[in-house]
Amino acid sequence: MTTAIPRADRRVSPVFLALVAVLAVSGWAVWSGAAGSGTGFAVFVFVVSGWVVSLCLHEYAHARTALHSGDISVGAKGYLTLNPLRYTHALLSIVLPVIFVIMGGIGLPGGAVFIERGRIRGRWRHSLISAAGPLTNILFAAVVSAPFWLHGLDGVPDPFRYALAFLALLQVTAAILNFVPVPGLDGYGVIEPWLSSDVRRQVEPFAPFGLLAVFGLLWVPEINQVFFDLVHTVLRALGVSAWDGYWGQEFFRFWQGAPQVPRTGGVL
């Protein structure tokens, strides 16, 4: 089926390659200490570029799964190029998630690709298309946390270690939030094909507000506590401690000044 897509519609975008280059250079700056007193800013650039790269991969996973399920229109829309500028809702997909990372250290998902569902047959395929995005976040979290769960942190500079931990935290928060079965999120997309047409019609008007409603609920202290308890449970399974994630976020907030990390680590 991919042979029906022109090569130009499948070629990796220079915009995405530039994002990967920024990720690599900023990662080197954090690792080597070349940024000096600007290490916090380097961590900020590293995490934000890594986060945007993961968003591109998230949406690419939706589009690629849709392509193999019957929707060849994703090629003409530019979704297979990994170019974030080609997404249907660039504001929701890129800008707002980055703002929420800066505000609260939460990897808030956003809508992006438009799938022509009428081209796709079978409820399982519809569910898999929706699940592909957050599953990509889980995979990304496993990759960036690999030095932790593989016990390969010897020789890794602390700022780089903390930056990886915070990036992993964002991926886990994004995966969990995306799997919440609320209209407008991928979790609802997974179960929607299995609901009756009456239920879907009743729920449809609430879809544009689902994302904001979930974010609003996270400001409720009790819900926030339960949510982050779950996040840190997953991170611990990946070998990432709350200590590492906390200091990653402190370095990320470079505008607050250089964090003073105690010489001896601990558990938060």
Side-chain angles (χ1 to χ4, degrees):
M1 191 172 296
T2 56
T3 56
I5 305 298
R7 180 173 297 181
D9 292 340
R10 295 184 279 117
R11 186 179 295 119
V12 177
S13 163
V15 177
F16 180 77
L17 294 177
L19 285 170
V20 173
V22 170
L23 175 65
V25 171
S26 58
W28 169 82
V30 176
W31 179 285
S32 67
S37 59
T39 297
F41 180 71
V43 169
F44 174 84
V45 175
F46 175 73
V47 171
V48 169
S49 58
W51 173 236
V52 177
V53 165
S54 75
L55 289 174
C56 293
L57 294 173
H58 175 112
E59 303 307 336
Y60 174 84
H62 284 311
R64 191 76 188 190
T65 308
L67 172 66
H68 290 289
S69 298
D71 182 9
I72 61 173
S73 72
V74 296
K77 296 185 178 83
Y79 297 155
L80 303 177
T81 65
L82 290 161
N83 185 352
L85 302 179
R86 297 300 298 271
Y87 295 151
T88 307
H89 301 293
L91 176 64
L92 289 176
S93 304
I94 303 297
V95 179
L96 282 181
V98 169
I99 290 175
F100 288 136
V101 168
I102 294 173
M103 289 175 55
I106 297 174
L108 194 69
V113 299
F114 175 73
I115 306 298
E116 296 187 12
R117 296 280 182 170
R119 294 173 177 262
I120 298 164
R121 297 291 180 267
R123 291 183 292 184
W124 282 107
R125 289 180 177 178
H126 285 281
S127 295
L128 183 58
I129 291 169
S130 295
L135 287 175
T136 302
N137 289 114
I138 293 173
L139 178 60
F140 201 99
V143 170
V144 298
S145 64
F148 296 87
W149 53 266
L150 289 176
H151 307 290
L153 291 169
D154 290 343
V156 176
D158 284 346
F160 189 79
R161 167 181 176 154
Y162 299 145
L164 282 181
F166 184 49
L167 189 52
L169 182 149
L170 294 178
Q171 299 304 315
V172 172
T173 59
I176 293 174
L177 287 174
N178 247 315
F179 271 128
V180 174
V182 170
L185 296 179
D186 291 328
Y188 178 75
V190 172
I191 67 171
E192 183 182 24
W194 307 90
L195 301 176
S196 68
S197 56
D198 288 340
V199 171
R200 280 181 282 176
R201 280 196 300 269
Q202 293 173 5
V203 170
E204 186 176 1
F206 300 99
F209 311 104
L211 180 63
L212 293 178
V214 170
F215 183 69
L217 288 173
L218 288 175
W219 288 98
V220 177
E222 294 79 7
I223 296 177
N224 185 277
Q225 182 66 48
V226 171
F227 172 72
F228 275 102
D229 284 347
L230 177 58
V231 168
H232 287 299
T233 297
V234 175
L235 287 172
R236 281 195 298 272
L238 294 172
V240 181
S241 70
W243 171 272
D244 291 316
Y246 172 81
W247 289 110
Q249 187 170 6
E250 290 298 298
F251 272 98
F252 176 84
R253 294 172 172 170
F254 69 94
W255 55 89
Q256 297 179 352
Q260 301 301 312
V261 184
R263 289 184 177 275
T264 56
V267 177
L268 295 175

